[in-house]
Amino acid sequence: MKYLKSRYAGLHSDHRRIFSGAFRVAVFLLLGKAAGALKEMAVAYRYGVSEVVDAYQFTMTMANWLPVTLVGALSVVLIPVLVRSRDDDAAVRRRFLAELHGWCLLLGVGLAVLIYMAWPWVLEWVGAGLDAGTRRMSAQLTLAFAPAALLTLMTGLSAARLRARERYINTLLDSVPAVVILIWVLLAATAPDVGPLLWGTLIGYAIQSVWLLRLANRADGGWGRPRLGFNAHYWPDLVKAAGVMLIGQIAMSFVGPIDQYTAANLGANANATLGYASRLLSLLLGLGAASVGRAALPVLADVQRRGDALRARQLALKWSVLMALAGAGVTLAGWLLAPWMVSLLFERGAFSAQDTIRVAEVMRWGLLQMPFYFGVLVLVQLLASQNRYRIMAAIAIANFLLKAAMNYVLAPVMGVSGIMLATSLMYALSYLCYTAVALRRPPSMAVPA
C-alpha cells in the first residue's frame, strides 16, 4: 500500500488529475452499472427474449438516435469551451449558458414532436421486419421516448457543465432511468406489456434531468433564465466546431439504427438477443474506457489552455497504450466468462438456458472491440482538446462506411454475431486512424528547443 501511495505521489499532477477523475468515474459507473444490471435482470425475468424486448430495444435505439447524436457532438466541442471560459467574466459565462439552455429547450421540443409524428414512417421503413404486435408496442413506447428527447438534451448540457468543472456525479445519475424502470417492472402487477417500461423510462429521464440541472447550477454558479440569441463571443467558434463534429457524429450515429435494421431482418428476437449482448458489453466498456475518457477531456483541454500542447499529446498517448492493454485483458477474461456472465445476470424466469447460449456467443464477438475501444477513447479526447474536428469527422465517416459494409457481408453468414464482429472491425479501424493522427504533431504544436 505504501508503495502504491508513493508511486501515485510521484506522478505528474496532470496524470494524477486523470487518474483521480477516472477513479471517481469508475466508482460511479460501477454503482450505476450495478443498477443497470439489476434492471436488465428484472426485464429478462419478466419478458425474456420476447416481442416486448424487441419493441423496447428498437424504440430506444431509434428514438434516441438524434438526441444522443446531438449530445455527443455538443459534449465534445462544448467542454473545451467551458474550460477556457474560466478566464472570463462570470456575467459573460452566465449569459452564454442562458443562451445555450434556450436553444436546447427549443431544439428538444422540436425533436420530441418530430419523433412522435414521424414514428409511423420509422416503423414502415426501418421496422418492416418486425411483426405487427412488436410494431404496435413500439408505437406505444414513443409516448415515453419522444419527450425523453428533450430531457436527453437538457441532461447532456448539464453533464457537460459538470465535467468541465471536473465533477463526475453525472456518471452516477446516468443510472436513474434504470433504477426507476427496475422499480416499475418489479412492482407491476399486470400481464407482461410495455407499460412498466414506458412509465419507468419517462419518469426516470425526468428525475435525472432535473437533478443534474440543480447540480450543474451549484457547480458553476447558475445560468439565469433561458434566452434565445448568439450574443456571447463563444458562439462563432462553437457553432463552426459543432457543425464539423456533427457530420462525424451523425455518421457514427447511424451505427445503432443500422444494427437494429439488420437485426430486424434476421428474424424474430434477433433485436432482443443483440440488445442483451450489447448491454452486457456496455457494462465492461463503461467501467473501463469511459471512465478514463470522461476524465481525460477536461484535463487535456486545461493543459492545452496553459499552452503546453506537447504535454497533452504525451499524456494521451501514454494513457492510450495502457488502456489498450487493459482492453486486451478484458477481452481474454470476458471470452472465457461470457456464458457465466449471461447466465448470472439473465437466466431466470422467461430467459432460458438456450437464450444464454445465443447471447453469450454474440457477446464474445463483441468483446473483440475492447482493446481498440479502450485505446481510442483517450485519443478522441486529445484531438477534441486540439480542436481537430475535421479529422475526427473524416475518421467517423470511414468508420461508418466500414461498419455498413461489414454488416452487409457478415450478418447473412453469421447472424447477430456478424453484427458484433462488424462493430469490432470498425473500432479497430478507428484506433489505427486515431493513433496515426496522434503520432503526427499538429501544425500549431511548437517543437521544444
Side-chain angles (χ1 to χ4, degrees):
M1 183 62 69
K2 289 183 179 180
Y3 173 76
L4 293 177
K5 287 182 179 179
S6 64
R7 290 284 295 174
Y8 178 77
L11 292 174
H12 188 279
S13 60
D14 293 325
H15 280 295
R16 290 202 302 269
R17 288 169 65 190
I18 294 177
F19 181 85
S20 61
F23 180 77
R24 292 196 298 272
V25 173
V27 171
F28 290 150
L29 275 171
L30 180 61
L31 295 173
K33 295 299 184 180
L38 290 174
K39 184 262 288 187
E40 296 301 334
M41 292 167 67
V43 171
Y45 178 80
R46 185 176 180 87
Y47 299 110
V49 180
S50 66
E51 290 78 7
V52 175
V53 182
D54 273 348
Y56 180 72
Q57 178 68 23
F58 176 84
T59 310
M60 179 175 62
T61 301
M62 297 303 299
N64 281 342
W65 169 43
L66 275 176
V68 170
T69 299
L70 291 172
V71 167
L74 177 65
S75 297
V76 171
V77 301
L78 181 58
I79 290 174
V81 172
L82 293 175
V83 170
R84 291 192 295 270
S85 72
R86 297 175 189 172
D87 299 328
D88 293 333
D89 183 70
V92 175
R93 291 199 307 271
R94 284 195 295 269
R95 183 176 184 86
F96 175 56
L97 289 174
E99 291 173 350
L100 267 176
H101 281 84
W103 286 112
C104 275
L105 284 169
L106 182 62
L107 181 59
V109 171
L111 278 177
V113 173
L114 176 64
I115 289 170
Y116 186 78
M117 298 296 293
W119 206 250
W121 286 274
V122 173
L123 290 174
E124 181 179 350
W125 295 336
V126 184
L130 302 174
D131 59 56
T134 302
R135 283 186 284 176
R136 174 182 55 79
M137 288 184 283
S138 177
Q140 294 173 357
L141 284 166
T142 57
L143 296 174
F145 282 105
L150 167 61
L151 300 172
T152 297
L153 290 184
M154 297 304 295
T155 296
L157 180 52
S158 298
R161 292 167 60 189
L162 287 166
R163 287 177 59 194
R165 296 284 172 169
E166 297 185 39
R167 302 185 184 182
Y168 305 103
I169 188 65
N170 64 287
T171 304
L172 177 61
L173 297 186
D174 285 345
S175 64
V176 169
V179 171
V180 178
I181 292 172
L182 168 66
I183 294 172
W184 218 281
V185 168
L186 291 177
L187 295 181
T190 58
D193 59 19
V194 297
L197 298 174
L198 190 159
W199 289 108
T201 297
L202 180 58
I203 295 174
Y205 272 88
I207 294 173
Q208 179 192 23
S209 181
V210 173
W211 200 342
L212 275 177
L213 182 60
R214 288 175 60 87
L215 292 174
N217 287 338
R218 189 182 305 169
D220 60 17
W223 47 275
R225 290 180 299 177
R227 62 178 72 186
L228 297 178
F230 297 100
N231 296 305
H233 70 272
Y234 309 106
W235 280 110
D237 290 339
L238 179 62
V239 170
K240 180 180 178 181
V244 175
M245 190 65 195
L246 193 59
I247 295 173
Q249 201 71 22
I250 288 175
M252 286 299 294
S253 74
F254 276 106
V255 168
I258 282 178
D259 284 352
Q260 292 301 305
Y261 175 79
T262 306
N265 286 280
L266 288 177
N269 303 329
N271 282 95
T273 302
L274 178 65
Y276 282 121
S278 297
R279 288 192 284 275
L280 254 177
L281 288 170
S282 73
L283 296 176
L284 302 175
L285 292 170
L287 289 175
S291 58
V292 174
R294 293 186 185 187
L297 180 54
V299 175
L300 293 173
D302 188 47
V303 175
Q304 297 281 353
R305 181 178 66 91
R306 300 198 306 258
D308 197 351
L310 184 59
R311 175 67 188 165
R313 176 170 168 264
Q314 292 171 342
L315 274 172
L317 288 171
K318 287 179 180 178
W319 277 96
S320 177
V321 172
L322 290 173
M323 293 305 298
L325 293 174
V330 171
T331 298
L332 179 60
W335 190 280
L336 297 174
L337 297 176
W340 175 81
M341 294 170 64
V342 175
S343 176
L344 176 66
L345 290 178
F346 301 136
E347 192 177 315
R348 56 187 56 82
F351 196 102
S352 67
Q354 191 62 35
D355 295 329
T356 293
I357 296 173
R358 289 200 300 267
V359 173
E361 179 185 359
V362 173
M363 179 185 171
R364 279 174 165 164
W365 288 104
L367 283 166
L368 297 178
Q369 70 187 271
M370 292 291 172
F372 311 113
Y373 186 93
F374 276 40
V376 79
L377 210 57
V378 180
L379 300 179
V380 170
Q381 314 310 317
L382 172 66
L383 267 64
S385 71
Q386 296 172 339
N387 299 326
R388 301 172 78 179
Y389 301 116
R390 292 181 184 273
I391 296 176
M392 296 172 69
I395 294 174
I397 293 172
N399 289 342
F400 164 72
L401 293 175
L402 178 66
K403 169 66 174 172
M406 290 298 97
N407 266 24
Y408 179 79
V409 171
L410 297 174
V413 178
M414 301 175 62
V416 183
S417 297
I419 298 175
M420 280 297 187
L421 178 56
T423 300
S424 299
L425 294 173
M426 177 188 73
Y427 280 115
L429 174 65
S430 181
Y431 182 68
L432 291 174
C433 291
Y434 271 99
T435 300
V437 173
L439 288 172
R440 294 175 55 194
R441 292 178 177 173
S444 61
M445 185 183 295
V447 179

